[in-house]
């Protein structure tokens, strides 16, 4: 070992995101899955979404996962890498497939929305502390994890416990609860997610999500359940977001958004907040950047959207409260660099 660390040590990046990404098949038209004749291929994964958006904004990002030794695995690695994300720590599993899923075109909040997952026994579900490059995982200013990974298998859950445990090389650990009830087979989700959230430094959780999983209602009640994380981000849907940090409570209302598709907003919000955190911006600005990046995702059809330029987002985040309250964002707003208060939809 040299003074700079072990030979071939991975480069330290801004954010490392660890978790499963899948090939997503998006319908060519609205309707039931049984009636859709064809699908377009895309990628989907909470952690890789965060890495891709951060890389698109100019941050250095690494995605760590396992994929099958198959064409879908090739597609994931190549597509995520094309965003500028470091994928050198992604491992190939010759015995397990890459996960895929199909979804309908409708809003996920409606009863008509369908999702068909084919991820049981996937390569990513076999992630464990013994087959993941832990040095690469810890070689970031921030390590971003989600509760989705914990739901995939006992091995995955053990890996997250390893990464959230005290360690000399541990970075700031960001944890998005991201509760997916359909993935949890043993009913252990409340306890498991609580343990992981308590071990993190920064936690993202929806107010409704926290109530569903743990019972607390309201940001203060969630804080009592999670006293450990230095920063607790409680998302309140279209109302806004509250952050509890260092004894301070900061609330920022969400801007009005003309929604195209209600997918990917949570990951984009986390990426925007992390970007502003890496830049050491004030808490109010971190929340506004989260809102703006979420609005970029909400105003495009897919899960991933290029965030607004840094200058554009900084200018909007610096608006006074009155102008922020009048802000309205519609499709194409991220390209409307001259906008200051209202970006009308085409």
């Amino acid at each position: 070992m040299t003074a700079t660390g072990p030979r071939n040590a991975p480069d330290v990046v801004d954010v490392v995101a660890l978790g499963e990404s899948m090939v997503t098949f998006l319908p060519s038209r609205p309707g039931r899955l049984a009636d859709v004749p064809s699908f377009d291929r895309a990628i989907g994964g909470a952690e890789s979404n965060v890495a891709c958006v951060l890389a698109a904004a100019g941050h250095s990002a690494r995605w760590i996962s396992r994929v099958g030794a198959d064409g879908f695995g090739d597609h994931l690695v190549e597509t995520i890498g094309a965003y500028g994300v470091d994928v050198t720590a992604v491992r190939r599993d010759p015995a397990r497939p890459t996960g895929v899923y199909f979804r309908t075109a409708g809003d996920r909040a409606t009863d008509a929305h369908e999702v068909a997952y084919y991820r049981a026994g996937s390569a990513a579900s076999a992630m464990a502390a013994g087959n993941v490059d832990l040095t690469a995982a810890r070689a970031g200013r921030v390590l971003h994890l989600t509760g989705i990974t914990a739901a995939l298998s006992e091995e995955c859950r053990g890996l997250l416990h390893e990464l959230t445990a005290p360690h000399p090389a541990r970075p700031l650990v960001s944890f998005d609860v991201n509760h997916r009830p359909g993935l949890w087979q043993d009913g252990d989700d409340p306890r498991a997610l609580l343990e992981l959230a308590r071990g993190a430094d920064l936690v993202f959780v929806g107010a409704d999500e926290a109530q569903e999983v743990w019972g607390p209602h309201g940001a203060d009640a969630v804080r009592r359940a999670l006293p450990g994380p230095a920063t607790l981000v409680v998302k309140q849907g279209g109302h806004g977001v509250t952050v509890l940090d260092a004894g301070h409570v900061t609330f920022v209302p969400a801007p009005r958004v003309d929604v195209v598709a209600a997918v990917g907003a949570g990951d984009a919000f986390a990426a925007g907040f992390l970007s502003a955190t890496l830049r050491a911006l004030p808490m109010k600005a971190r929340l506004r950047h989260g809102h703006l990046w979420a609005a970029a995702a909400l105003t495009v059809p897919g899960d991933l959207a290029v965030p607004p330029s840094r200058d554009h987002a900084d200018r909007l985040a610096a608006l006074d409260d009155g102008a922020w309250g009048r802000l309205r964002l519609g499709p194409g707003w991220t390209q409307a660099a001259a906008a200051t208060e209202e970006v009308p939809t085409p």
Side-chain angles (χ1 to χ4, degrees), residues 239-265:
H239 179 56
V241 178
T242 298
V243 170
L244 300 97
D245 174 82
H248 300 287
V249 178
T250 306
F251 171 78
V252 171
R256 290 175 294 166
V257 178
D258 296 322
V259 176
V260 172
V263 294

Side-chain angles (χ1 to χ4, degrees), residues 203-207 218-219 222-223 232-236 240-244:
V203 172
F204 298 94
V205 65
V222 178
R223 173 49 106 185
L232 176 62
V233 181
V234 182
K235 298 176 289 184
Q236 298 152 288
V241 178
T242 298
V243 170
L244 300 97

Side-chain angles (χ1 to χ4, degrees), residues 24-44:
T24 309
F25 289 94
L26 308 175
S28 57
R29 70 183 191 194
R32 301 184 310 152
L33 287 178
D35 300 327
V36 175
S38 60
F39 296 80
D40 295 320
R41 185 180 63 176
I43 63 171

Side-chain angles (χ1 to χ4, degrees), residues 66-90:
R66 290 175 68 84
V67 299
D70 50 34
F72 289 147
D74 294 341
H75 177 64
L76 284 175
V77 173
E78 292 166 6
T79 303
I80 294 170
Y83 278 86
V85 176
D86 175 7
V87 294
T88 56
V90 177

Side-chain angles (χ1 to χ4, degrees), residues 5-337:
R7 186 172 297 177
N8 298 324
D11 293 335
V12 175
V13 296
D14 289 335
V15 176
V16 176
L18 179 148
E20 181 172 35
S21 189
M22 294 178 290
V23 174
T24 309
F25 289 94
L26 308 175
S28 57
R29 70 183 191 194
R32 301 184 310 152
L33 287 178
D35 300 327
V36 175
S38 60
F39 296 80
D40 295 320
R41 185 180 63 176
I43 63 171
E47 301 86 0
S48 59
N49 285 349
V50 169
C52 288
V53 176
L54 283 166
H59 291 281
S60 55
R62 173 180 297 126
W63 174 56
I64 297 180
S65 189
R66 290 175 68 84
V67 299
D70 50 34
F72 289 147
D74 294 341
H75 177 64
L76 284 175
V77 173
E78 292 166 6
T79 303
I80 294 170
Y83 278 86
V85 176
D86 175 7
V87 294
T88 56
V90 177
R91 299 291 178 255
R92 311 303 290 261
D93 189 329
R96 293 171 177 264
T98 303
V100 302
Y101 76 96
F102 297 76
R103 68 172 174 84
T104 52
D107 188 335
R108 288 181 180 176
T110 69
D111 293 337
H113 182 69
E114 298 174 71
V115 179
Y117 286 106
Y118 299 92
R119 72 195 305 178
S122 68
S125 70
M127 285 191 295
N131 62 23
V132 165
D133 188 339
L134 298 180
T135 301
R138 293 179 174 122
R141 295 170 61 192
V142 175
L143 171 60
H144 183 68
L145 309 169
T146 83
I148 297 173
T149 305
L152 298 180
S153 66
E154 287 289 343
E155 292 80 6
C156 284
R157 201 176 307 174
L159 170 62
L160 294 198
H161 280 293
E162 174 71 23
L163 291 172
T164 55
H167 188 278
R170 172 181 148 144
L172 184 147
V173 175
S174 165
F175 182 71
D176 191 336
V177 172
N178 231 327
H179 183 231
R180 297 286 192 272
L183 292 178
W184 290 89
Q185 302 300 317
D186 54 12
D188 200 30
D189 34 333
R191 182 191 63 80
L193 291 171
L194 190 64
E195 288 178 356
L196 291 168
R198 285 175 171 172
D201 303 298
L202 164 61
V203 172
F204 298 94
V205 65
D208 292 345
E209 179 180 44
Q211 186 174 15
E212 177 186 16
V213 182
W214 300 315
H217 177 69
D220 290 337
V222 178
R223 173 49 106 185
R224 287 192 292 272
L226 292 173
T231 305
L232 176 62
V233 181
V234 182
K235 298 176 289 184
Q236 298 152 288
H239 179 56
V241 178
T242 298
V243 170
L244 300 97
D245 174 82
H248 300 287
V249 178
T250 306
F251 171 78
V252 171
R256 290 175 294 166
V257 178
D258 296 322
V259 176
V260 172
V263 294
D267 301 332
F269 180 92
F273 188 92
L274 289 174
S275 173
T277 298
L278 288 162
R279 297 171 59 202
L281 297 183
M283 189 59 70
K284 184 176 181 179
R286 299 183 196 188
L287 287 170
R288 286 189 170 184
H289 276 269
H291 282 312
L292 292 168
W293 288 36
L298 289 169
T299 49
V300 298
D303 289 28
L304 278 169
V306 175
S309 69
R310 183 170 293 186
D311 287 346
H312 189 186
D314 281 346
R315 184 162 44 78
L316 293 179
L319 293 172
D320 62 47
D321 289 346
W324 178 263
R326 293 189 297 274
L327 192 65
R328 179 173 180 176
L329 304 170
W333 76 269
T334 57
Q335 283 76 51

